[in-house]
Amino acid sequence: GQQVMQIPQYQHVQEGEDFTTYCNSSTTLSNIQWYKQRPGGHPVFLIQLVKSGEVKKQKRLTFQFGEAKKNSSLHITATQTTDVGTYFCAGPSGTYKYIFGTGTRLKVLA
Amino acid sequence: DADVTQTPRNRITKTGKRIMLECSQTKGHDRMYWYRQDPGLGLRLIYYSFDVKDINKGEISDGYSVSRQAQAKFSLSLESAIPNQTALYFCATSSREHNEQFFNEQFFGPGTRLTVL
């Protein structure tokens, strides 16, 4: 069946360092969404990418959708302690539902 | 989001007990979802509903059942709880999509932490 994998599973960085998480799908995706879950919280929508090769930025966060629409990445420049949490990608699976990636847990050391 | 609420927030129960987790939303969304979260496994879809008369199984529906009592309410039941159902459970909602290309974001409730002893 369809799978969405993320790497790395965990990442510890010093505050100010950059961070990247990668999302890979076993099938071509029509779009991809990214969510952030703070420790003890619930997932919160960050962004949706639709076009092949699309790049979107939100302040220090840069999201990219691969040319083949099977992979995506989230890059955070100069991490801050507020970036701590788990980042999930999610791709559509069948009709109007999503399959979530395994998530990357980010820890930022001050 | 306060617009999506879940009760209870925490529950400890014993093997074999019947448990119901409830989800309510004030967002007016048609689509509702139940997920479970386990460390290292991400969020896995249990059941989803696109309106009151539409219920669908997700990836891991065995051992679970659901009820869509109204547009705003979607309940998840564990008929006979077992320890490997210990997890964090999330309810989520989304509005009707504009078209097949564009899926609207999902809004998650605060979660229910369930422990089955």
Side-chain angles (χ1 to χ4, degrees), chain B residues 38-81:
Chain B
D38 300 275
L41 296 177
L43 294 156
R44 293 183 292 167
L45 183 63
I46 306 172
Y47 270 95
Y48 59 104
S49 169
F50 292 155
D51 64 43
V52 174
K53 297 180 181 179
D54 178 81
I55 302 289
N56 303 279
K57 292 182 177 181
E59 305 168 65
I60 53 166
S61 58
D62 288 348
Y64 302 94
S65 62
V66 291
S67 173
R68 184 83 183 264
Q69 300 96 320
Q71 186 202 36
K73 296 183 182 297
F74 193 35
S75 300
L76 176 72
S77 293
L78 287 67
E79 298 301 325
S80 180

Side-chain angles (χ1 to χ4, degrees), chain B residues 54-111:
Chain B
D54 178 81
I55 302 289
N56 303 279
K57 292 182 177 181
E59 305 168 65
I60 53 166
S61 58
D62 288 348
Y64 302 94
S65 62
V66 291
S67 173
R68 184 83 183 264
Q69 300 96 320
Q71 186 202 36
K73 296 183 182 297
F74 193 35
S75 300
L76 176 72
S77 293
L78 287 67
E79 298 301 325
S80 180
I82 56 177
N84 77 0
Q85 291 177 314
T86 293
L88 184 56
Y89 290 84
F90 286 105
C91 172
T93 74
S94 70
S95 65
R96 196 180 298 270
E97 289 79 7
H98 300 296
N99 59 53
E100 287 187 8
Q101 277 274 323
F102 296 91
F103 288 60
N104 290 333
E105 67 185 274
Q106 292 187 49
F107 294 86
F108 285 79

